[in-house]
Each structure stands twice: as C-alpha cells, then as structure tokens.
Amino acid sequence: MVIRGATEGRRHGAITGLGTQAGLLAHGLLATVGISAILAAAPQVLIAVQVVGALYLLYFLHRTCLPTSESMSHWCTRTGVTGLSSECV
C-alpha cells in the first residue's frame, strides 16, 4: 500500500488501502458467522470455549495479580517493612 501510494500517487494508495480493509472486513464477518454457526450447532463446543476462557482468565490473574517472592521482597525493601510476614525478613 505504501509503495503503491509512493509510486502511483495518493489516490491509488487510498484505493489500495480501502480494498485491503474491505477484504479484512469480509474475512472477519465470514469467520464470525462460521464460528457462530458451529457454536449454535454444538452447544457443548460453547461450554468448552467458556471453560477454556475461564481457565485463561484465572491463569492471567495468577500471573499478573498475585505477588511473587521477588515482588514482595521489592515491596518490603521499598516500604521499609520487616518482620511482618515470612517474605519481609
């Protein structure tokens, strides 16, 4: 798209960009309809997708929100707290 715009002008670059976006939109809509049809035809697949999504969210929670020993050590050092828990020794 950039090369076409640079070599053939802004109009051709814009037309190429719009064509690309139209193709992406069509592809996205067809993919969405296909997935919707599969989920409507097989409710157990919907349950499986929900379970996998819930497990992913729990994994994400564990990785981002629960303190690790390194982050707890940094917090103890930064705040000057000692002796309140096993991590702040």
Side-chain angles (χ1 to χ4, degrees):
M1 181 172 56
V2 173
I3 293 173
R4 185 158 172 122
T7 59
E8 297 183 33
R10 291 168 99 185
R11 183 170 182 262
H12 288 282
I15 290 170
T16 302
L18 289 173
T20 302
Q21 293 303 314
L24 289 172
L25 177 65
H27 178 73
L29 288 174
L30 290 173
T32 301
V33 170
I35 290 174
S36 297
I38 291 170
L39 294 178
Q44 61 273 24
V45 174
L46 175 61
I47 293 170
V49 169
Q50 290 173 335
V51 168
V52 169
L55 291 173
Y56 174 72
L57 289 176
L58 290 173
Y59 170 76
F60 187 67
L61 171 72
H62 175 71
R63 297 284 297 168
T64 58
C65 296
L66 299 178
T68 62
S69 61
E70 182 180 311
S71 66
M72 196 61 159
S73 173
H74 175 70
W75 180 83
C76 295
T77 304
R78 189 185 66 198
T79 59
V81 175
T82 57
L84 293 178
S85 69
S86 60
E87 289 89 6
C88 295
V89 178

